[in-house]
Amino acid sequence: MKIERLQVLIETEQRERLGRIAAQRGVSVASLVRRAIDVAYPSSLEPKAAIVAGILAAVPMDVPDPHHLRAELELIHG
């Protein structure tokens, strides 16, 4: 894979956010940005693979049991 340099100006808050996320995941900011580009703009040959990669790259989170989840959804939907 050939890698090229690209300079992009972003807001300070965005850079700090990327730094925090990269540190949490144990990857470089550059790696995080490359992955985000692949997920947001998949090549025409690999759209599903990019979506799956994005899902697998997501930070794990706790999910309530089905009964509690249903109660939360009913509360939200009224």
Side-chain angles (χ1 to χ4, degrees), residues 2-8 30 34:
K2 181 179 177 186
I3 295 181
E4 297 185 20
R5 178 178 297 276
L6 172 67
Q7 183 174 344
V8 178
R34 285 191 297 269

Side-chain angles (χ1 to χ4, degrees), residues 32-43 46-47 49-51 53-55:
L32 194 69
V33 170
R34 285 191 297 269
R35 185 178 298 250
I37 290 169
D38 288 342
V39 170
Y41 305 103
S43 69
E46 302 175 356
I51 292 169
I55 292 169

Side-chain angles (χ1 to χ4, degrees), residues 6-51:
L6 172 67
Q7 183 174 344
V8 178
L9 300 176
I10 61 175
E11 296 175 6
T12 301
E13 188 278 328
Q14 291 172 315
R15 176 61 174 94
E16 291 169 351
R17 186 173 3 137
L18 287 173
R20 284 191 307 272
I21 294 168
Q24 289 170 352
R25 295 184 183 182
V27 299
S28 68
V29 170
S31 174
L32 194 69
V33 170
R34 285 191 297 269
R35 185 178 298 250
I37 290 169
D38 288 342
V39 170
Y41 305 103
S43 69
S44 60
L45 301 177
E46 302 175 356
K48 290 182 181 177
I51 292 169

